[in-house]
């Protein structure tokens, strides 16, 4: 397979079934829509995007391609420790969840590179790009949407 500087050219030229999107967040909607319209399955890194209008358009595109597989990259659902917590919750061993506190323990030594990446790219930064994991876990654990969020 060749290397490309333009994702559209790659999708148009190569005989591929699926596309894996691991670009900065701001490009996710555009790239997903292009791949779907080229009849490709899509795995897209989280989150869906930065702008709700673009995300809404992306969701409409997904619905217009019901035979295409789309997966959003929430890998924590496949981590054994998170799966174990999910089983405990689903088995009713801790009762109804009414409050969840989530926090990251990313090393402070990486903070400068995180900030630089968010500033230099079309990214949601560490809060949007990483906090989405916590929101996904809350939804997965509780089968419900968060009611209130504090940062």
């Amino acid at each position: 397979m060749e290397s490309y500087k333009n994702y559209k050219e790659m999708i148009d030229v190569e005989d591929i079934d699926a596309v894996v999107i691991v670009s900065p967040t701001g490009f996710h909607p555009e790239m997903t829509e292009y791949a779907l319209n080229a009849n490709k399955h899509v795995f897209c890194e989280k989150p869906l995007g930065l702008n709700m209008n673009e995300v809404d358009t992306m969701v409409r595109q997904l619905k217009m391609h019901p035979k295409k597989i789309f997966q959003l990259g929430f890998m924590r659902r496949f981590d054994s420790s998170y799966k174990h917590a999910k089983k405990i919750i689903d088995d009713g061993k801790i009762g109804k969840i009414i409050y969840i506190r989530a926090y990251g323990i990313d090393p402070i030594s990486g903070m400068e590179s995180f900030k630089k990446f968010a500033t230099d790219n079309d990214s949601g930064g560490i809060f949007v790009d990483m906090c989405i994991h916590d929101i996904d876990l809350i939804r997965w654990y509780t089968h419900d949407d968060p009611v209130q969020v504090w940062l």
Side-chain angles (χ1 to χ4, degrees), residues 1 7 9 16 21 29 32 35 40 45-46 58-59 66 71 77 89 92 97 111-112 114 118 125 131 141 143-144:
M1 187 178 285
Y7 74 93
E9 182 182 352
I16 55 177
I21 299 172
T32 298
K40 309 298 180 198
E45 182 57 73
K46 55 70 192 146
M58 183 180 182
V59 170
Q71 184 173 358
R77 290 182 180 213
I89 293 165
I97 296 175
M111 194 56 64
E112 285 305 313
F114 298 149
C131 288
Y141 287 157
H143 305 278
D144 206 354

Side-chain angles (χ1 to χ4, degrees), residues 4-13 19 27 30-32 34-35:
Y4 296 90
K5 292 183 180 180
N6 182 308
Y7 74 93
K8 292 178 181 179
E9 182 182 352
M10 180 201 66
I11 290 171
D12 293 342
V13 170
V19 175
F27 298 107
E30 170 190 327
M31 292 178 163
T32 298
Y34 194 86

Side-chain angles (χ1 to χ4, degrees), residues 34-89:
Y34 194 86
L36 289 169
N37 286 330
N39 204 32
K40 309 298 180 198
H41 302 290
V42 177
F43 176 91
C44 183
E45 182 57 73
K46 55 70 192 146
L48 289 174
L50 298 176
N51 175 298
M52 281 308 296
N53 290 331
E54 290 177 349
V55 169
D56 288 342
T57 299
M58 183 180 182
V59 170
R60 282 193 299 277
Q61 284 293 317
L62 291 167
K63 290 178 180 177
M64 291 171 54
H65 297 86
K67 294 188 177 184
K68 292 292 121 188
I69 296 170
F70 175 82
Q71 184 173 358
L72 189 60
F74 284 119
M75 78 288 197
R76 289 187 182 170
R77 290 182 180 213
F78 302 96
D79 180 286
S80 60
S81 61
Y82 291 102
K83 285 171 41 176
H84 178 70
K86 172 80 167 140
K87 180 166 177 25
I88 290 171
I89 293 165

